[in-house]
Amino acid sequence: NAGVTQTPKFQVLKTGQSMTLQCAQDMNHEYMSWYRQDPGMGLRLIHYSVGAGITDQGEVPNGYNVSRSTTEDFPLRLLSAAPSQTSVYFCASSPTGVPLHFGNGTRLTVT
Amino acid sequence: GENVEQHPSTLSVQEGDSAVIKCTYSDSASNYFPWYKQELGKRPQLIIDIRSNVGEKKDQRIAVTLNKTAKHFSLHITETQPEDSAVYFCAASIGGTSYGKLTFGQGTILTVHP
């Protein structure tokens, strides 16, 4: 199993651009989530899904959209990138909610 | 919502010493408490977790204790080694449909000096 795969690893965007961060898992996990990590603030939950077709907002959802059309994929969309969205983004999955299995992260810089 | 406070923010110890990191949480409904280790540039990895029906859990040199009354839990690392140097995060989660929604502490940078 590849586990949780995130692409790209690095991305630079200009303010106002849109993009999609990809996340895929091959463990048939029902639960998937997106966190962002900023210095000194730990990880904060952006969006969450308990299965295909079901999503929920986390602590910091503004500026991000998600959808879950398949069990395997949980993409995160930035609609109009802002410098405040510069961060490291981690996707995670779990068979039952916990424990979380994290991907290797995407480092995003918005200029 | 849940709030998790973690202390200290940095911790420096000599090899062989013990290290203790403490976290407090605000929501008494929280019932799952994991600890993650994150090496520089890497993903967080689960090192130990505890559920609210257990007061203590050990795994070799690592232990976690939970005090539900005081709403705090701690990570204990004994006989520290240089490879224990990393950032450690605590987290808390409420059960039911929110089971996988973790609230993380701010992290502790642990440095173990040889």
Side-chain angles (χ1 to χ4, degrees):
Chain A
N1 287 349
V4 179
T5 302
Q6 290 184 237
T7 56
K9 292 184 179 180
F10 302 94
Q11 183 71 49
V12 179
L13 290 178
K14 295 185 184 300
T15 297
Q17 288 184 318
S18 63
M19 78 158 295
T20 300
L21 278 64
Q22 301 291 344
C23 176
Q25 51 91 10
D26 61 358
M27 298 174 284
N28 202 32
H29 286 174
E30 290 294 329
Y31 291 71
M32 296 187 74
S33 50
W34 277 101
Y35 289 82
R36 61 177 288 174
Q37 184 174 30
D38 302 297
M41 299 186 73
L43 291 90
R44 292 181 291 168
L45 181 64
I46 305 172
H47 282 290
Y48 178 79
S49 172
V50 299
I54 306 170
T55 63
D56 191 9
Q57 294 184 349
E59 181 184 353
V60 288
N62 291 343
Y64 307 96
N65 273 0
V66 292
S67 60
R68 184 94 180 273
S69 57
T70 67
T71 299
E72 295 77 21
D73 301 300
F74 192 42
L76 179 71
R77 298 182 190 84
L78 281 70
L79 308 175
S80 178
S84 61
Q85 294 179 305
T86 293
S87 188
V88 180
Y89 292 84
F90 287 100
C91 178
S93 74
S94 173
T96 58
V98 293
L100 297 183
H101 302 263
F102 284 97
N104 287 325
T106 294
R107 185 174 296 273
L108 175 68
T109 301
V110 183
T111 62
Chain B
E2 174 67 282
N3 183 51
V4 177
E5 296 287 335
Q6 183 172 345
H7 299 280
S9 56
T10 60
L11 180 59
S12 182
V13 301
Q14 289 297 126
E15 183 176 1
D17 288 349
S18 294
V20 181
I21 303 170
K22 299 181 179 180
C23 289
T24 60
Y25 60 98
S26 62
D27 194 331
S28 57
S30 290
N31 58 12
Y32 174 71
F33 308 93
W35 286 89
Y36 284 84
K37 175 183 179 182
Q38 186 178 30
E39 297 176 350
L40 188 63
K42 301 289 184 63
R43 61 185 169 182
Q45 294 197 297
L46 180 72
I47 55 172
I48 196 167
D49 56 10
I50 192 168
R51 299 177 192 269
S52 59
N53 59 346
V54 176
E56 182 176 2
K57 184 177 179 180
K58 290 183 179 180
D59 183 2
Q60 299 182 356
R61 297 185 296 108
I62 294 172
V64 57
T65 58
L66 172 65
N67 184 326
K68 288 188 296 182
T69 302
K71 290 190 285 188
H72 68 70
F73 56 111
S74 300
L75 177 70
H76 305 255
I77 305 174
T78 59
E79 301 174 19
T80 54
Q81 301 167 2
E83 50 265 38
D84 293 329
S85 296
V87 182
Y88 290 81
F89 292 97
C90 64
S93 174
I94 301 171
T97 57
S98 297
Y99 203 33
K101 292 184 176 180
L102 294 185
T103 299
F104 282 83
Q106 298 87 343
T108 296
I109 302 172
L110 173 64
T111 304
V112 181
H113 299 282

